[in-house]
Amino acid sequence: MSNEAAAKGLERTQNRSKLRTTVQIGMLGAVSAVLMLLSFPVPFLVPPFVKMDFSELPVLIGAFAMGPVAGVFIELIKNLLNLVLNGSTTGGIGELSNFVIGCAFVVPAGLIYRRNKTKKSALIGMGCGTVFMAALGCLSNAFVMFPLYSTVMGIPMEQFVAMGTAINSAVDNLFTFIILCMAPFNLMKGIVISLITFLLYKRLRVLLKGE
């Protein structure tokens, strides 16, 4: 085989790989968008406008299988599709927050798993992603998302605090609302998604190229 033929063969292989990756990203983004529609409230922890869903599961799987950048694109597709399919009751702020928080979870997990594709690395990555998601969630909610939502939707900040107080009497300002309501919610979400991924790990070994 000539060098020219070998180069063309390599190029065809690379193009097929890129196409396969693009298709997988699109498919996982679509599945995530559907799962996002199946959201439900967690009334014992957060107000009704904050809802739990399992849409980060395909995103995390994609980040493990194709890397953290792919995870970011899946997260983006998920939220864009959700805007098209479900619209937005938050002026797009909820979707922006979901994108930021989701990336905070899957990017650290994907980076750690990419360096050493083992079950142990997956667990460490998901643990770090969960903690980072909760921490970044506190900062983004306190300084960006809630102030922005309050301005765009015309809802006083005190109303958010009142919603938190109705759930936890210790909530008396925005800081305690975020620490006592939003942070535990994000930790719970990360733990649940991580647990499901861990339980599915053996079935996903071929896709994830681990162990």
Side-chain angles (χ1 to χ4, degrees):
M1 181 182 294
S2 66
N3 290 337
E4 184 178 353
K8 288 182 178 179
L10 178 61
E11 183 179 357
R12 284 195 297 269
T13 300
Q14 290 174 337
N15 288 337
R16 284 197 297 268
S17 178
K18 290 178 181 177
L19 178 61
R20 181 172 180 267
T21 298
T22 301
V23 171
Q24 286 181 330
I25 288 173
M27 290 177 61
L28 289 171
V31 173
S32 295
V34 172
L35 290 176
M36 198 173 182
L37 294 174
L38 305 176
S39 61
F40 54 92
V42 187
F44 63 88
L45 193 58
V46 287
F49 69 87
V50 181
K51 295 184 178 181
M52 174 73 178
D53 63 64
F54 300 107
S55 63
E56 303 305 337
L57 180 59
V59 186
L60 182 59
I61 291 171
F64 278 170
M66 295 172 282
V69 174
V72 172
F73 279 111
I74 296 169
E75 189 73 45
L76 178 62
I77 291 171
K78 176 192 77 173
N79 281 283
L80 291 177
L81 283 176
N82 182 69
L83 280 172
V84 173
L85 295 173
N86 203 32
S88 178
T89 59
T90 63
I93 298 169
E95 287 71 27
L96 175 61
S97 179
N98 187 278
F99 174 76
V100 171
I101 298 299
C103 288
F105 176 48
V106 302
V107 169
L111 284 171
I112 292 172
Y113 182 77
R114 190 175 186 178
R115 296 186 65 179
N116 189 18
K117 296 184 177 182
T118 64
K119 187 181 294 186
K120 181 180 179 180
S121 290
L123 285 171
I124 293 173
M126 290 186 292
C128 291
T130 297
V131 172
F132 189 66
M133 175 173 65
L136 185 62
C138 288
L139 294 174
S140 66
N141 283 325
F143 298 107
V144 181
M145 300 305 174
F146 278 109
L148 186 60
Y149 188 74
S150 177
T151 300
V152 172
M153 304 303 292
I155 300 176
M157 203 71 72
E158 292 77 13
Q159 191 168 330
F160 294 120
V161 176
M163 293 180 190
T165 305
I167 297 170
N168 187 334
S169 59
V171 173
D172 57 6
N173 54 41
L174 182 61
F175 176 77
T176 53
F177 172 66
I178 289 172
I179 295 298
L180 298 177
C181 293
M182 299 305 299
F185 172 79
N186 284 325
L187 286 171
M188 181 192 73
K189 184 174 182 178
I191 291 170
V192 170
I193 297 298
S194 297
L195 178 61
I196 295 173
T197 303
F198 179 76
L199 294 175
L200 293 175
Y201 186 89
K202 288 185 177 180
R203 296 177 182 272
L204 297 172
R205 274 187 304 180
V206 175
L207 176 63
L208 303 182
K209 300 177 182 179
E211 296 190 314

